[in-house]
Amino acid sequence: MDSNALYNIEYGLFVVSARSDNKDNGCIVNTVVQVTSSPARISVTINKQNFTHDMILNTGCFNVSVISQTADFEFFKRFGFQSGRDADKFAGLSGTKRGGNGVIYLTENVNAYISAKVISTVDLGTHTMFIANVTECATLSSDPSMTYSHYHANVKPKHEEKSSASGGFRCKICGYIYEGDELPADFVCPICKHGADDFEKI
Ligand code: FE
């Protein structure tokens, strides 16, 4: 099976945020999908290891900020490459507001926000899919939406490839290069914290 085929599925990129115990947190996902229009309903699938996952499970409320193509790599590092367990991802960030549900959302480098209330969950093993009614939403700018392919082509830093190209693995998410002939199965990218499954041989 050529699992690279799955990388040809195009995705949007989003910050999903939640609030629990007076703490705001958010993470980057590529899994927000509108599932019905009447009523307006979306799904989002989140890795159970994400702090945001437990906050949504506990509160049943979340916001989606639709990332626009103005977002830079620092934006992705802030929300995607650290855990809300260790850091306040919203610290020092000016462009935020709260929805009627009390949950924070972004107003800069995004083009829309959506507030949602969970009506159903599906246990997918490593992930939970949350199905939710849209309770509030607004367009925030006319900038085009960030897509997975735009991120990889224009936002992710380009790393110089070794001229010898004798071994080594590249993280498909952030571009980090692991030097060595064998990538340990339990290797975790030091930059973006994704696992060995997200590395390709170069
Ligand atoms: Fe990485």
Side-chain angles (χ1 to χ4, degrees), residues 73 81 151 156 170-177 187-195 198-199:
F73 192 58
F81 300 173
Y151 169 77
K156 185 175 77 171
R170 183 194 299 105
C171 175
K172 294 179 189 176
I173 306 300
C174 75
Y176 173 82
I177 291 186
F187 187 76
V188 174
C189 177
I191 307 292
C192 73
K193 315 300 183 201
H194 282 249
D198 285 314
F199 278 75

Side-chain angles (χ1 to χ4, degrees), residues 42-185:
I42 59 176
S43 69
V44 59
T45 304
I46 303 186
N47 192 305
K48 290 178 180 175
Q49 293 187 18
N50 274 320
F51 190 35
T52 309
H53 170 276
D54 294 354
M55 295 170 83
I56 296 175
L57 206 58
N58 290 339
T59 63
C61 286
F62 64 92
N63 287 346
V64 174
S65 300
V66 182
I67 303 172
S68 67
Q69 291 185 10
T70 57
D72 61 10
F73 192 58
E74 289 303 312
F75 180 99
F76 285 89
K77 280 163 70 177
R78 171 186 283 269
F79 288 103
F81 300 173
Q82 58 180 347
S83 172
R85 291 187 182 87
D86 314 318
D88 176 2
K89 297 187 184 183
F90 293 92
L93 201 65
S94 57
T96 62
K97 283 187 177 173
R98 286 188 191 281
N101 59 1
V103 178
I104 203 165
Y105 64 89
L106 299 173
T107 59
E108 293 174 5
N109 298 311
V110 304
N111 61 21
Y113 85 94
I114 301 158
S115 293
K117 179 127 188 60
V118 176
I119 58 163
S120 179
T121 62
V122 182
D123 188 337
L124 298 173
T126 56
H127 292 64
T128 299
M129 175 184 276
F130 298 97
I131 299 166
N133 285 333
V134 174
T135 55
E136 196 177 288
C137 57
T139 302
L140 301 175
S141 89
S142 57
D143 297 323
S145 298
M146 180 70 75
T147 63
Y148 207 59
S149 57
H150 185 89
Y151 169 77
H152 281 276
N154 302 294
V155 181
K156 185 175 77 171
K158 304 257 187 299
H159 289 258
E160 296 290 322
E161 293 203 12
K162 294 266 174 289
S163 55
S164 63
S166 60
F169 295 81
R170 183 194 299 105
C171 175
K172 294 179 189 176
I173 306 300
C174 75
Y176 173 82
I177 291 186
Y178 174 90
E179 291 178 29
D181 295 334
E182 292 291 332
L183 183 71

